[in-house]
Amino acid sequence: MNHNVTRRSFLSFAAAGAAVVSLAACGGNSAAGGSAAKAAYAAPAKDLSAELSYAIWDAAQKPAMQKIVTEFNKQYPNIKVTIDVTPSKGSAYWTKIQTQASSNTLPDVFWMNGPHIKLYAQNNQLLPLDGLVSGKGVDTSNYPKALVDLYTVNGTFYGVPKDFDTSALFYNKALFKEAGVSDPTSNWTWDDVKSAGAKLSKFYQGKGIYGYAGDLTGGQTSYYNTMIEAGGTIISADGKKSGYDSAGSIAGLQFWRDLIESGVSPSMQQLTDTSSSDMFTSRKLAMTMDGSWTVGPAQKALGDDLGIVSLPKGPKSNQSVIHGLANVIPANAKNPAAAQAFVAFLGTQDAAKIQAETGTVIPAFNGTQDAWVKSVPSVDLNVFLDLAKDASPYPASANTAAWNELENTLLPQAFAGTKPVADVAKDLASQMDAALAKES
Amino acid sequence: MKAQTLTPASKSVRAARAAGDRRKGKSKSDGWWPWLFVVPTVAGIGVFYLWPIIQTFYYSFTKWGVFGGTKFIGLDNYVRMFADSTIPQSILNTLIYTVVVLLGIPIAVILASLIERPGLRFAALYRTLYFIPYITMPAAVGIVWRLIYNGDFGPINWFLGLFGIQGPYWTSTPGFALLAVATVGLWMSLGFNLIIISAGLREIPRELFEAAEMDGASRVRQFFSITVPLLTPSIFFVTIVTVISGFQLFDLLYVMMGKANLAMPQTQSLVYIFYNQAFLQNDKGYAAAIGILILVIIALLTAFQFRIQKRWVNYV
Amino acid sequence: MSESMLSTKSGVESRRSGVATAGPSRAGGKPSDRDGADRDGAGRGTKGRGAKSHGAKGGKQGANVLAHCVLSIGGLAMISPLLYQIVMSLSTNAEVQSTPPTLWPSVVQWHNFADVFTSMNFGSQLWVTVAITVIRVIGQVLLCSMAGYAFARMQFRFKGLILAVVLSIIMVPSQLFLIPQYQIIQNLGWLNSIAGIVAPGIFSAFGLFLMRQFFMGLPDELEDAARLDGANPFQIFFRVMLPLAANGLWALVIITVLWSWNDLLWPLVVTSTANAAPLSVGLSNLQGEHANNYPILMAASLMAMAPILIMFLLMQKRVMAGIGRSGLK
């Protein structure tokens, strides 16, 4: 089997035209891909020769990825990996991946995220990786369970977790000191953050500096977390019903409306003009809820003035949504053996350590996160790891993007106060239910 | 004094008309020669542009799977489209945008008649200044304008602040956002309109103005009874171009607005909804129906413009 | 250049005459006769001569001052975003976000421009951009002018129908073509290649229409003479008619250069390696990477626009003449 694939791909790469390559690959591997999924994976021969394209969206992580490829080539010197970066800004990455999927030209390995995994898995666009697990190419117990679950669709495992992120409370020590407000702690509650935010906003009134805000142009570092902390849900566990009309969810949304209404947070319009992350790094915001990926830029901008503590506790809990990326292989992979070997390597401890040392993301491989924690010694990054322990899985369904658009269209009206929060939440719930009903 | 009564005076105009008549008279076919000239381009356009439109038309009657695979569902997409309240709103947005950008045409006429004043110094410099925005990259310019419009540190609100006016958050407040985007559209297209109209102005025979001057017509009167009527072909051309590009509004929204913008429902264009449905919400069948709607609207508008042009455009 | 000198000179002249006498140099219909002759030829440069015949009234000087006021204030407003962009490209990020706005950075940050080279593949992306632009321009100039000529001056079956279809295609938003075109390019095996980026753009309904309009406006005499001499349509086209359509070709060239240089969505989708991508894609990648580092973004976009701006400044007379004439018919 493996020999077969190797020989075929070798022949096709020897052929000159790119068209010939893709035609030969398509013809040969739809069958090969299918059976490779069921059969246990066996590491291919070290002299396997192949060319792989690896699509990612974060240019900042390209050096780390390149370093991992170099390490990978020490094992498989003849597998050439080309990294291709397309920014996720404005959904360029997903527009491209989707167009490629429609015409069977997906890259050999590519990054996957929570909102898209079910869409691609349920439409048979991805190579099942159960064989990789049963063949001991990857051990799923090495990764946080929430992530393995995210990338397991209908009992089939599709993506090897690469990294994860959670949200916490970032604050500016200098702004707190000047206003004479005592620093936040990891034991704070919603009331604490509200009253401290009010004091800060009042103290800095007229200077364009605010107490507390989150990124309300998306849920992950703002309302998703508060909705869960108030006992609500975004989507039911089976992914069939919206959770937006529950009392807890409404309370979680109302939290942000209250902050804006009382002037603790900048207005919805203001947060659209200048993102909360930008305001925080330019010292216009004393506290913000933000994701672990912001630690690097924030530390660079604020230096030792940066402080980070756990999320303030809501009516029910203090919890963060956990999200993470995974590496996946397309169903009609041109060279599944080589692609699986590369994905397996991306899932190793060695690869995770390379990622950790750059400090850009938290690697998913358990035990390697210490290197990331040490990458910024001035703050206690263990906060993010503690939050990961009982984090809530990232809300997703087969076509997450459809109701994400509904959130983006409807929720700003609630936060801006043009419509009551409860009305908007109920409207969103019913429209989201309709969108979910269309998925099946 | 009406412009039409003056036109026969122009020699060149008469010559042009005669040429046109001759051409019309020649009705016999040129055999297979034209096909040699036409086939490469027409074939290319057929493959890369016409075929996609035909496909889109077909897809508008299907539920199109995200990754291909279509199911015929008849008129469902169209039924849904006519019940979708964001569609009429976005048509209204597009119309408002187009009207604001169309305001650039009278501005261009006035500026052009100033620049083309006989013997004005620095005319070439002025033309250059006004034309530069037309050749800048929309993606880059969008970011610059986002900063210019920024409610907190943008120069516009700083300027208004000098007069004690608290400016709005231009790109994120409903109502203002559409005006803000349309202003950028006007800014980008003004130079193009100006050049077209300037060229039209230079074509107007000078003796018309002299005759008018001898008759004692004032400058203002000359402007309205000679300049404007004789410019109507150029004005018609830039109107068509503006309307078509107005209905294709996408890049500026994409760069300037960002997601989850409170003002988006009152700002988004039909093409934006099309892109959103096709590539973000993965509903390509529905998107195809919207694409067909865009086609129909633009075709109707253009046909309408060509129909009424007889009433106001003076082809001499 | 010569144009501005011309207008400057006649401006001085007319002003002088306006001050001195009531304009004795103006002799009735004479200048206008010259104007007419001129227009039949190239249709350019009537302005300078028209000056004499037009600068009649004494209040002209005042009117010109007013014109200068309006035009210079307007002109400044038009390029102020560009000036603002230049200032920002030389500032620090903090200065960009400061209130009141920074008029000039306290320390000029030239390194922002150097940083662009380390954050994007500027050299190779510039090369790709130039290559696709040149290919598109040559392809369009050749194909569109041939087809435009046939539609303007030849008779053949289905001409009206084909033209109507071509016209309607101009109005279709380009996003509509994205997926079908991608599938065609993929079937041709041209993904990630200059051929793939260029192929759909070589064919242009707009270019065809534009060239048709130009050829419609040309006189018949030369064509008829060549035909009597026994020239075949190819010879007539390349030797006689194409040189006459120079203005139209320039309009097509500049519009194609602009579109090709600035096109983003299509090259973004068909290219998947940074080296095969043009500048517009590189710029959008940079936006993804330095989302809030405005100075670098501004510097990079200035650098990406610079070649076009320079080209325009060098050839502005032709560009303006070309585009200007595209609206005359």
Side-chain angles (χ1 to χ4, degrees):
Chain A
M1 170 77 225
N2 278 324
H3 278 293
N4 237 339
V5 173
T6 314
R7 194 172 53 86
R8 185 174 299 142
S9 55
F10 174 76
L11 281 177
S12 47
F13 277 104
V20 182
V21 175
S22 65
L23 283 177
C26 282
N29 287 313
S30 48
S35 45
K38 281 170 207 114
Y41 161 88
K46 298 291 173 202
D47 59 351
L48 172 63
S49 165
E51 285 186 36
L52 298 177
S53 55
Y54 181 31
I56 69 176
W57 64 71
D58 184 3
Q61 292 189 51
K62 194 182 174 189
M65 295 300 120
Q66 196 62 61
K67 210 170 161 194
I68 294 173
V69 170
T70 309
E71 290 300 309
F72 173 66
N73 281 342
K74 286 180 184 160
Q75 286 182 25
Y76 292 95
N78 299 326
I79 301 182
K80 186 172 177 278
V81 182
T82 320
I83 300 172
D84 160 30
V85 187
T86 308
S88 60
K89 183 184 188 298
S91 318
Y93 179 86
W94 292 108
T95 302
K96 186 165 166 176
I97 291 284
Q98 198 194 326
T99 314
Q100 290 172 330
S102 314
S103 27
N104 291 325
T105 53
L106 280 169
D108 302 296
V109 178
F110 62 102
W111 282 7
M112 178 51 68
N113 69 4
H116 289 91
I117 176 64
K118 282 188 179 159
L119 181 70
Y120 283 75
Q122 290 183 358
N123 284 290
N124 306 316
Q125 292 296 317
L126 301 180
L127 186 75
L129 298 180
D130 293 325
L132 193 59
V133 177
S134 62
K136 303 272 186 286
V138 159
D139 183 354
T140 50
S141 67
N142 284 330
Y143 316 104
K145 193 174 172 305
L147 289 183
V148 176
D149 289 350
L150 184 63
Y151 291 102
T152 304
V153 179
N154 300 332
T156 307
F157 180 64
Y158 285 101
V160 179
K162 171 191 166 296
D163 58 37
F164 69 80
D165 39 68
T166 52
S167 299
L169 184 73
F170 290 56
Y171 67 100
N172 184 325
K173 290 175 182 166
L175 289 177
F176 268 81
K177 200 172 172 193
E178 197 188 331
V181 180
S182 50
D183 281 5
T185 70
S186 284
N187 299 320
W188 269 23
T189 63
W190 281 13
D191 288 338
D192 294 325
V193 77
K194 269 183 182 171
S195 69
K199 279 182 215 156
L200 288 155
S201 276
K202 195 165 174 236
F203 180 82
Y204 290 110
Q205 201 167 25
K207 289 183 183 161
I209 297 172
Y210 293 85
Y212 186 38
D215 178 12
L216 297 176
T217 61
Q220 197 188 349
T221 59
S222 57
Y223 53 85
Y224 281 180
N225 299 322
T226 52
M227 283 163 72
I228 291 158
E229 286 175 335
T233 56
I234 292 99
I235 188 167
S236 63
D238 61 2
K240 291 202 158 51
K241 268 199 84 56
S242 169
Y244 269 98
D245 50 359
S246 75
S249 296
I250 292 170
L253 294 171
Q254 187 70 45
F255 174 77
W256 298 103
R257 172 61 201 147
D258 291 348
L259 288 179
I260 289 176
E261 198 170 13
S262 58
V264 172
S265 161
S267 71
M268 184 67 214
Q269 286 98 314
Q270 224 168 333
L271 290 169
T272 318
D273 262 21
T274 316
S275 73
S276 56
S277 302
D278 269 9
M279 291 186 85
F280 183 71
T281 50
S282 58
R283 300 173 183 265
K284 301 273 168 62
L285 201 52
M287 292 183 282
T288 183
M289 186 186 280
D290 217 329
S292 46
W293 63 88
T294 324
V295 171
Q299 202 270 337
K300 209 173 144 201
L302 302 181
D304 288 345
D305 288 341
L306 174 69
I308 296 174
V309 293
S310 190
L311 287 178
K313 191 172 181 298
K316 285 273 171 357
S317 61
N318 73 328
Q319 252 184 307
S320 166
V321 161
I322 185 170
H323 178 249
L325 310 186
N327 290 298
V328 297
I329 303 171
N332 59 347
K334 290 193 276 289
N335 193 335
Q340 288 192 75
F342 182 52
V343 165
F345 187 81
L346 285 166
T348 59
Q349 190 168 14
D350 291 347
K353 275 184 177 156
I354 294 173
Q355 288 193 68
E357 282 153 12
T358 63
T360 42
V361 290
I362 312 175
F365 198 99
N366 288 331
T368 60
Q369 290 94 359
D370 276 355
W372 179 76
V373 170
K374 284 178 192 133
S375 70
V376 183
S378 64
V379 278
D380 182 12
L381 295 183
N382 279 308
V383 166
F384 293 101
L385 304 183
D386 292 341
L387 280 163
K389 279 174 194 151
D390 64 341
S392 173
Y394 189 85
S397 70
N399 193 2
T400 313
W403 50 268
N404 280 170
E405 273 305 304
L406 294 173
E407 293 173 338
N408 287 343
T409 319
L410 298 173
L411 290 177
Q413 301 171 24
F415 298 135
T418 38
K419 283 182 189 164
V421 172
D423 292 3
V424 173
K426 290 199 168 103
D427 188 18
L428 174 55
S430 67
Q431 289 196 43
M432 183 171 157
D433 281 342
L436 292 171
K438 262 195 285 179
E439 285 178 2
S440 45
Chain B
M1 175 162 41
K2 275 239 165 140
Q4 283 91 328
T5 61
L6 283 168
T7 47
S10 159
K11 213 167 67 183
S12 62
V13 162
R14 243 181 290 146
R17 185 179 286 172
D21 289 343
R22 259 205 307 287
R23 211 150 45 233
K24 259 176 236 148
K26 190 179 70 178
S27 61
K28 74 171 176 37
S29 168
D30 287 286
W32 50 272
W33 274 106
W35 296 104
L36 279 184
F37 283 80
V38 159
V39 159
T41 308
V42 168
I45 291 174
V47 169
F48 284 109
Y49 299 91
L50 187 59
W51 174 240
I53 295 175
I54 295 168
Q55 271 187 308
T56 305
F57 186 69
Y58 166 71
Y59 286 137
S60 72
F61 299 103
T62 65
K63 186 175 157 67
W64 189 355
V66 181
F67 305 104
T70 51
K71 196 177 97 194
F72 194 80
I73 54 166
L75 290 170
D76 282 12
N77 288 323
Y78 289 94
V79 171
R80 180 177 156 205
M81 188 167 75
F82 285 108
D84 187 340
S85 66
T86 63
I87 302 281
Q89 176 69 48
S90 73
I91 295 176
L92 182 69
N93 297 340
T94 310
L95 286 174
I96 294 173
Y97 172 88
T98 308
V99 167
V100 174
V101 180
L102 281 174
L103 287 179
I105 294 178
I107 296 174
V109 171
I110 293 167
L111 290 173
S113 57
L114 290 178
I115 289 181
E116 297 305 324
R117 282 172 75 87
L120 189 85
R121 279 167 170 240
F122 311 124
L125 174 70
Y126 289 134
R127 266 183 232 124
T128 307
L129 288 183
Y130 286 92
F131 194 68
I132 280 179
Y134 182 70
I135 58 171
T136 52
M137 256 183 185
V141 152
I143 311 171
V144 179
W145 277 95
R146 236 191 107 98
L147 288 173
I148 291 176
Y149 281 128
N150 187 292
D152 290 317
F153 54 79
I156 291 185
N157 278 2
W158 166 77
F159 182 75
L160 291 176
L162 296 181
F163 303 96
I165 302 166
Q166 164 93 53
Y169 289 92
W170 292 94
T171 56
S172 49
T173 307
F176 286 109
L178 186 55
L179 285 181
V181 173
T183 305
V184 180
L186 195 160
W187 173 78
M188 284 184 82
S189 64
L190 187 63
F192 179 81
N193 295 346
L194 183 73
I195 295 308
I196 300 274
I197 288 169
S198 285
L201 266 177
R202 287 199 294 270
E203 290 290 304
I204 298 179
R206 287 283 156 217
E207 60 264 39
L208 296 186
F209 293 103
E210 282 156 23
E213 227 157 87
M214 282 176 189
D215 289 355
S218 71
R219 270 291 152 77
V220 175
R221 191 149 174 184
Q222 287 177 35
F223 179 76
F224 283 107
S225 23
I226 301 175
T227 313
V228 171
L230 287 185
L231 272 183
T232 45
S234 304
I235 295 176
F236 178 66
F237 178 80
V238 292
T239 306
I240 296 263
V241 171
T242 306
V243 169
I244 291 176
S245 55
F247 268 83
Q248 300 189 350
L249 168 66
F250 175 75
D251 287 15
L252 283 179
L253 288 178
Y254 188 75
V255 185
M256 286 179 65
M257 296 288 287
K259 59 171 188 165
N261 192 318
L262 182 65
M264 196 47 111
Q266 286 86 0
T267 315
Q268 64 189 347
S269 65
L270 269 180
V271 177
Y272 192 86
I273 296 185
F274 166 84
Y275 179 85
N276 198 323
Q277 290 288 349
F279 293 104
L280 302 183
Q281 304 206 42
N282 305 320
D283 204 342
K284 292 211 187 70
Y286 186 49
I290 295 172
I292 296 300
L293 176 69
I294 297 172
L295 270 179
V296 170
I297 291 178
I298 299 182
L300 283 178
L301 271 174
T302 313
F304 175 71
Q305 284 179 313
F306 272 101
R307 233 194 140 82
I308 64 160
Q309 66 159 321
K310 292 189 194 87
R311 299 225 188 116
W312 65 279
V313 181
N314 300 297
Y315 283 108
V316 286
Chain C
M1 193 59 186
S2 63
E3 195 182 354
S4 73
M5 279 168 65
L6 196 79
S7 56
T8 307
K9 212 195 288 167
S10 52
V12 171
E13 224 172 315
S14 64
R15 190 178 304 169
R16 216 182 278 146
S17 66
V19 171
T21 61
S25 63
R26 228 169 310 104
K30 222 184 169 207
S32 57
D33 277 350
R34 249 192 294 154
D35 269 357
D38 211 291
R39 208 173 307 113
D40 283 343
R44 295 272 310 141
T46 55
K47 173 175 49 73
R49 261 158 247 131
K52 274 189 194 166
S53 65
H54 212 40
K57 303 224 168 75
K60 178 155 171 63
Q61 211 175 359
N64 268 357
V65 169
L66 188 70
H68 279 298
C69 281
V70 172
L71 288 171
S72 53
I73 291 172
L76 199 66
M78 287 298 279
I79 57 153
S80 58
L82 203 65
L83 299 178
Y84 183 56
Q85 187 179 2
I86 293 171
V87 171
M88 283 192 295
S89 72
L90 296 172
S91 308
T92 64
N93 207 15
E95 281 170 327
V96 169
Q97 300 189 34
S98 68
T99 37
T102 311
L103 289 178
W104 191 249
S106 51
V107 179
V108 176
Q109 311 282 325
W110 291 111
H111 67 87
N112 288 336
F113 285 86
D115 289 352
V116 172
F117 284 99
T118 56
S119 8
M120 70 192 267
N121 231 333
F122 197 86
S124 75
Q125 289 174 354
L126 179 66
W127 156 243
V128 172
T129 313
V130 170
I132 59 173
T133 304
V134 168
I135 296 172
R136 267 181 81 162
V137 166
I138 293 174
Q140 276 205 20
V141 162
L142 191 69
L143 293 175
C144 294
S145 62
M146 283 174 66
Y149 173 72
F151 275 104
R153 311 188 71 95
M154 289 175 157
Q155 301 300 326
F156 52 98
R157 287 187 72 169
F158 309 121
K159 186 169 112 171
L161 178 72
I162 300 175
L163 192 67
V165 170
V166 166
L167 266 177
S168 57
I169 284 171
I170 298 177
M171 302 162 198
V172 181
S174 60
Q175 292 79 14
L176 221 69
F177 301 121
L178 196 59
I179 291 180
Q181 284 184 350
Y182 180 88
Q183 287 167 343
I184 294 167
I185 294 300
Q186 183 235 331
N187 285 330
L188 292 170
W190 287 353
L191 292 177
N192 257 324
S193 71
I194 287 184
I197 304 178
V198 158
I202 282 184
F203 308 101
S204 164
F206 176 81
L208 191 165
F209 182 66
L210 188 77
M211 292 315 296
R212 171 187 176 263
Q213 297 303 92
F214 271 95
F215 283 113
M216 296 264 287
L218 294 180
D220 284 355
E221 287 79 4
L222 284 168
E223 199 181 18
D224 292 342
R227 200 173 286 127
L228 288 176
D229 287 350
N232 69 35
F234 259 123
Q235 291 166 326
I236 296 176
F237 172 70
F238 281 108
R239 299 214 186 123
V240 181
M241 299 308 278
L242 198 57
L244 287 181
N247 272 330
L249 291 178
W250 276 107
L252 184 63
V253 167
I254 189 67
I255 289 172
T256 309
V257 167
L258 282 179
W259 282 359
S260 169
W261 203 272
N262 295 340
D263 195 14
L264 173 61
L265 201 56
W266 173 250
L268 189 77
V269 171
V270 281
T271 59
S272 57
T273 51
N275 286 333
L279 282 172
S280 57
V281 173
L283 204 59
S284 104
N285 285 356
L286 199 66
Q287 275 175 41
E289 194 181 342
H290 297 279
N292 39 22
N293 191 340
Y294 293 113
I296 288 202
L297 286 180
M298 295 296 116
S301 54
L302 275 177
M303 283 166 63
M305 289 194 294
I308 288 281
L309 279 171
I310 292 168
M311 192 189 96
F312 167 72
L313 291 175
L314 289 177
M315 312 199 307
Q316 54 169 312
K317 225 183 121 181
R318 286 192 174 282
V319 171
M320 302 256 190
I323 288 191
R325 292 195 67 87
S326 66
L328 286 181
K329 279 286 176 288

